[in-house]
Amino acid sequence: MAQTQTGLDLKGLPEQARLVHLRTWFQDAVSAEQKWREQAKEDIEFYAGQQWNSKDVEKLKEQDRPAITLNKIRSTVNLLSGYQRLNRYDPSFLPRTAADLEKCKVAEGVTRYLFDMERFDSIESRVALNAYLTGRGWYYVSYEWNWETMEGDINIECLSPFDLYLDPECTKSDLSDAEYVHFARWVPKEKIKRLFPEAAEIVDGLLSRYDQDEQEAEFVGASPLWYTTQTHKARLVTTWYRTYETQINWRLPDGTYIEDKEADDWIRIIAERHEAKKGRIRVATYLGDLLLEDMYSPYEHGRFPFVMCPAYWLGEGDTPAGVVRDLKDPQRELNKRRSQFLHILNTMANRGWLVEKGSMAPDDKRALEEGGSTPGKVIEYNGANKPEPFATDQIPSAFFQIDAQSLNDMREISGVNEAMMGLSPASQSGRAKELDQRQAVVQITQLFDELKAAKRRVLELLWGGRKRKGLVQQFYTEPRVFRIITDTGQQDFIQVNTPVTAGVNPYTGQAVQEVMNDLATFDFDIVISDTPATPSQRLSAFYALLEMTKYGVPIPPDVMIEASDIPQKEQIKERIMAAQQQSPQPSPPNAPPGQPGAPAPPQGQGPSQQQVLQAIAQMGG
C-alpha cells in the first residue's frame, strides 16, 4: 500500500477504511482547536459588549452593586477596520519576458473585473475583521455553476472562522505544509437530502438513529461531534486532503522534461526515465459514518481552495490571536473600576451616623438606619446628644490616575495611539502628529502585511503558477468580453480567447488562425503593489507632489493631473498640452519669473501650475 505524509493513500483503501481515517483527522483537528475556539468566541463577545461573567453579575446584583460596561474594544477594532478600508492595495502583474507586458495589462483588467463582480473590497474587509477579532480570517475561492443561467463563474467569499478546521501539524499561513483542511457546518436534514438526493434514504435512516439513541452521538469535551439533538442538525464535513502519486517523466539530452503521457516511443528510447512524487488534492464529503463522495479536486492549481489570513500567529504551538485577545484584561479592569467608582458615589450620601450610646430608642435608631440619607428626613435628639453623619470625604485622586493609566494600557497594547484616533492635543504641531501616527502604523504593520499576503494567495488561486492552471485559465476558455478601467480612468472592453485571422499561409493558401489574449498562455509574476488604491492615500500623494513643485522640482503637469482625483482628467490634460504648444510671448530677458513679460517655462515642466488652474476653471472644476 502506498504511503503518504497523511498516512495511508486513502484512494487505494476500501470506502469504510477511508472514512475511518477521515473521521479521525477531523476529530484530531476539533480537539486541537478547542481552546482557540473558546477564546475566539469570548473575543467576539467582548467586541459585542458582553464583557461580564454571568456569576459576577449575579453576585453584584445580590450586593446591590452596578455592573458597568465601557466598551473600548469595539472602537479600537473599528478604527483598525476603518484604516484597512481606507488603505487598500491593488495587485500588479510583472512580465517575465518583454512579450508578456501586454498580457499583464489584460490580466490586471480581468482581475479588476472579477473583484468588482464579487465585491472583493467588502469581502476583504470582512476577512480582515474576522482576523482582528478571532485571529483568523478565511477566503474561499471556487468555481460555481449556475443551473438557471447554464453558466459558471468564479466565486470569492468570506467564510466563518469557526467553520474551518486546520491540520494540527500545520505551521505556515499559506497552508503549504497542511495535509488536510476541513470545512464543516451544522446543516438540517432536509438540506442534506437536497444536496445529495441519491443518498436521501440513507441520510434519513442515519439521522433518525441519532435522534432515537443519543448514546451513539460522539463528543469532544462538552460539544457534540456529529449530531446535536437540540437543533436536530448534523455536521456535514468536507475534507480537502493531499495524496501523493508516482509520476514518470523523461529527461531529454537538452535537460527538458516531458511527462510520460506525452512521450512517444522514440522519446522513451533516447531520454532518461525519472520518477517523482506528485502531490494532488482530493475532496471527501461525509456525514457521521456515511461517506457521501470522495474524488479528486476539480481544480488544477493543486492547492486548497481556502486562503487563511492570520493576525498574530507564529505556528509554533501558539494559539492564533487577534487584536481583542490582549485587550480583554485591561477592559475587565476598566469595567470593574468604573463599577466600583459608581458604587462609591451611590453610597457616599449614606456612609453612617455617629450616635452616643444609649441616647436613642431602638425604634428611632432603626428609622435612622433606614431613612437617614433621605432628603427632608427629620431627626429628633435630646440636649447635646446630637447624631452626626460620617464625613463624606472626596474620592482619592489616585483613583483617576489609575483609570487614565488603564486607558493608556489599552492604546499601547493595541498599537492605536491618540494620534491615530484623532485625539492629539490641539497645541501639538502637525509634524509631531504625523510622527505619532507613523509610530502607530509601524506597530500594526504586521496585520496589513498578512492581509496583503493573503490577497496574493487569492490571486495565485485565480491565475495559477508553476505550470499549473488557475481558475481563470482552467474555466475561462470560451471567448469573453470584460469591462475594465484603463490606466487613464476610462472604461474600456477587452476580448479574451477570441479567434482571429493572422494572415494566409503562403504555401497552402489557407488562413492562419490565432487566439487573441489566450488566457491559457498567460505566465507572469504576481505582486501586491505598495501604491495605495484609496482616495485618501492618493490625495496625500497628490499633496506631496504639490510640495515638490514648491521647491522647484519639475513635475510635468500631466503627471500632476493624473495623480489627482478631479473629474474629466483627460480633457484637462488635453487643454494643458494645447496651451503649452502655443508660442510664448516675447519678453524682456530680465523679467522675474511669474510676472508679465517673463519667459515661458520649458514644455512639460512644473512652472505650468497656472495653466493647470486655468484648465480646471474652464472645465467647471
Side-chain angles (χ1 to χ4, degrees):
M1 191 72 64
Q3 296 289 323
T4 71
Q5 296 183 24
T6 56
L8 296 174
D9 185 2
L10 299 192
K11 68 181 180 61
L13 292 177
E15 181 176 306
Q16 287 303 314
R18 277 181 283 158
L19 184 59
V20 169
H21 285 278
L22 293 169
R23 284 165 52 94
T24 300
W25 292 344
F26 180 66
Q27 187 167 356
D28 290 345
V30 173
S31 300
E33 293 192 350
Q34 188 175 10
K35 179 181 177 181
W36 168 77
R37 290 174 184 274
E38 293 173 355
Q39 292 177 331
K41 289 179 180 179
E42 186 181 62
D43 294 342
I44 293 179
E45 290 174 353
F46 263 70
Y47 173 78
Q50 304 173 19
Q51 300 174 354
W52 285 89
N53 184 286
S54 58
K55 294 182 179 179
D56 291 340
V57 173
E58 291 298 325
K59 186 176 181 180
L60 290 174
K61 285 183 178 179
E62 292 175 0
Q63 299 175 358
D64 199 21
R65 290 172 173 247
I68 302 298
T69 300
L70 297 175
N71 193 353
K72 299 293 183 180
I73 289 180
R74 187 196 292 269
S75 60
T76 302
V77 173
N78 285 352
L79 189 144
L80 289 173
S81 180
Y83 187 85
Q84 178 271 322
R85 294 166 192 266
L86 294 176
N87 291 271
R88 305 185 193 275
Y89 293 86
D90 279 341
S92 296
F93 296 80
L94 302 181
R96 292 182 178 173
T97 65
D100 295 332
L101 183 59
E102 190 62 30
K103 294 180 179 180
C104 288
K105 293 181 179 180
V106 173
E108 288 184 6
V110 173
T111 301
R112 288 175 184 172
Y113 173 83
L114 293 175
F115 280 5
D116 288 344
M117 292 298 100
E118 293 300 314
R119 309 293 196 276
F120 183 81
D121 285 350
S122 177
I123 293 172
E124 182 183 37
S125 296
R126 182 62 183 174
V127 169
L129 181 59
N130 285 340
Y132 302 156
L133 293 178
T134 69
R136 282 179 181 169
W138 288 91
Y139 293 100
Y140 177 51
V141 185
S142 62
Y143 182 79
E144 304 291 340
W145 182 261
N146 189 328
W147 288 101
E148 295 181 359
T149 62
M150 297 303 293
E151 290 183 352
D153 247 320
I154 291 173
N155 178 53
I156 305 174
E157 60 182 299
C158 168
L159 298 180
S160 167
F162 298 107
D163 288 344
L164 276 297
Y165 295 82
L166 188 60
D167 177 3
E169 301 301 323
C170 176
T171 62
K172 297 180 180 180
S173 57
D174 63 357
L175 309 182
S176 59
D177 63 340
E179 295 300 325
Y180 53 81
V181 179
H182 308 283
F183 176 56
R185 293 172 295 172
W186 292 103
V187 183
K189 176 171 64 176
E190 296 304 321
K191 183 175 182 179
I192 299 174
K193 291 165 63 177
R194 287 198 305 269
L195 294 173
F196 301 93
E198 68 280 359
E201 294 184 5
I202 302 177
V203 171
D204 257 334
L206 174 65
L207 300 188
S208 297
R209 191 185 73 196
Y210 279 137
D211 275 327
Q212 295 171 3
D213 190 358
E214 296 183 8
Q215 299 298 325
E216 291 193 15
E218 299 179 42
F219 288 81
V220 173
S223 302
L225 189 60
W226 305 110
Y227 188 79
T228 169
T229 55
Q230 295 179 350
T231 60
H232 300 284
K233 291 183 178 181
R235 186 173 251 160
L236 186 65
V237 184
T238 301
T239 299
W240 299 74
Y241 63 97
R242 299 184 192 274
T243 62
Y244 298 87
E245 304 174 352
T246 300
Q247 177 175 319
I248 299 175
N249 297 319
W250 297 90
R251 185 177 184 274
L252 296 175
D254 62 357
T256 59
Y257 285 86
I258 297 178
E259 293 186 14
D260 185 64
K261 61 182 180 180
E262 299 177 354
D264 297 329
D265 291 338
W266 68 271
I267 291 180
R268 292 185 174 91
I269 296 175
I270 66 171
E272 182 180 356
R273 187 175 187 271
H274 284 265
E275 291 186 2
K277 290 291 184 180
K278 179 181 179 180
R280 296 189 65 180
I281 302 293
R282 289 182 66 88
V283 53
T285 302
Y286 46 100
L287 181 71
D289 54 4
L290 173 63
L291 182 62
L292 297 170
E293 63 181 11
D294 186 9
M295 60 184 183
Y296 282 112
S297 168
Y299 308 126
E300 298 180 12
H301 50 54
R303 304 169 184 242
F304 298 119
F306 309 106
V307 173
M308 181 175 65
C309 176
Y312 300 116
W313 183 57
L314 298 177
E316 299 297 334
D318 58 317
T319 302
V323 177
V324 177
R325 188 71 49 84
D326 294 334
L327 296 179
K328 290 191 293 188
D329 282 346
Q331 180 68 66
R332 290 189 182 100
E333 180 190 10
L334 177 62
N335 290 342
K336 292 182 179 180
R337 185 182 301 107
R338 288 297 181 91
S339 299
Q340 181 66 15
F341 174 66
L342 183 58
H343 175 67
I344 292 174
L345 290 178
N346 291 339
T347 57
M348 283 183 67
N350 186 19
R351 299 187 65 186
W353 292 83
L354 291 172
V355 179
E356 185 175 343
K357 188 175 181 181
S359 64
M360 296 185 69
D363 291 342
D364 294 336
K365 184 178 180 182
R366 188 177 305 108
L368 183 63
E369 291 175 350
E370 294 177 354
S373 63
T374 304
K377 178 71 176 180
V378 178
I379 301 174
E380 296 182 358
Y381 65 96
N382 296 321
N385 301 326
K386 176 181 177 180
E388 296 181 359
F390 283 106
T392 56
D393 296 333
Q394 296 181 351
I395 299 177
S397 60
F399 181 92
F400 300 98
Q401 295 175 358
I402 297 175
D403 197 54
Q405 181 60 44
S406 178
L407 294 176
N408 289 333
D409 289 342
M410 297 194 72
R411 292 167 186 162
E412 292 178 2
I413 292 172
S414 66
V416 179
N417 59 21
E418 292 183 346
M420 195 172 181
M421 299 177 69
L423 300 177
S424 300
S427 59
Q428 190 177 20
S429 67
R431 181 60 177 168
K433 291 180 181 180
E434 182 181 358
L435 290 175
D436 287 345
Q437 290 176 347
R438 288 185 178 182
Q439 179 184 1
V441 172
V442 167
Q443 287 186 262
I444 61 176
T445 297
Q446 179 179 344
L447 299 175
F448 297 98
D449 281 348
E450 293 289 356
L451 195 61
K452 290 169 63 177
K455 191 171 189 176
R456 176 174 176 173
R457 290 193 286 271
V458 170
L459 293 168
E460 290 172 349
L461 293 182
L462 294 177
W463 292 99
R466 298 182 180 178
K467 297 184 179 181
R468 293 201 178 192
K469 294 180 180 179
L471 299 189
V472 174
Q473 295 99 323
Q474 181 181 350
F475 295 105
Y476 287 174
T477 57
E478 300 295 327
R480 282 177 176 253
V481 178
F482 293 100
R483 174 182 51 80
I484 65 171
I485 304 297
T486 64
D487 295 337
T488 61
Q490 303 296 315
Q491 290 191 3
D492 197 2
F493 296 89
I494 57 173
Q495 298 180 358
V496 300
N497 304 327
T498 306
V500 294
T501 301
V504 178
N505 190 317
Y507 300 101
T508 63
Q510 297 179 349
V512 177
Q513 297 290 329
E514 292 185 355
V515 179
M516 180 176 64
N517 294 329
D518 185 1
L519 296 181
T521 64
F522 280 22
D523 192 19
F524 35 65
D525 297 312
I526 302 173
V527 299
I528 300 298
S529 173
D530 287 333
T531 303
T534 53
S536 61
Q537 294 295 326
R538 291 196 300 267
L539 186 60
S540 299
F542 178 69
Y543 285 147
L545 290 176
L546 286 179
E547 289 294 323
M548 294 170 66
T549 61
K550 293 180 181 180
Y551 291 96
V553 179
I555 306 296
D558 59 328
V559 174
M560 295 289 296
I561 294 298
E562 191 60 41
S564 69
D565 280 339
I566 59 176
Q568 299 176 321
K569 290 182 182 180
E570 293 304 309
Q571 294 89 330
I572 294 176
K573 288 195 294 185
E574 290 177 3
R575 290 179 180 270
I576 292 174
M577 297 303 296
Q580 286 182 339
Q581 292 173 1
Q582 294 177 358
S583 301
Q585 297 292 331
S587 59
N590 296 327
Q595 298 297 324
Q603 291 187 6
Q605 293 192 1
S608 58
Q609 183 176 1
Q610 185 177 2
Q611 295 174 339
V612 175
L613 298 176
Q614 290 175 352
I616 295 175
Q618 292 175 3
M619 296 303 300

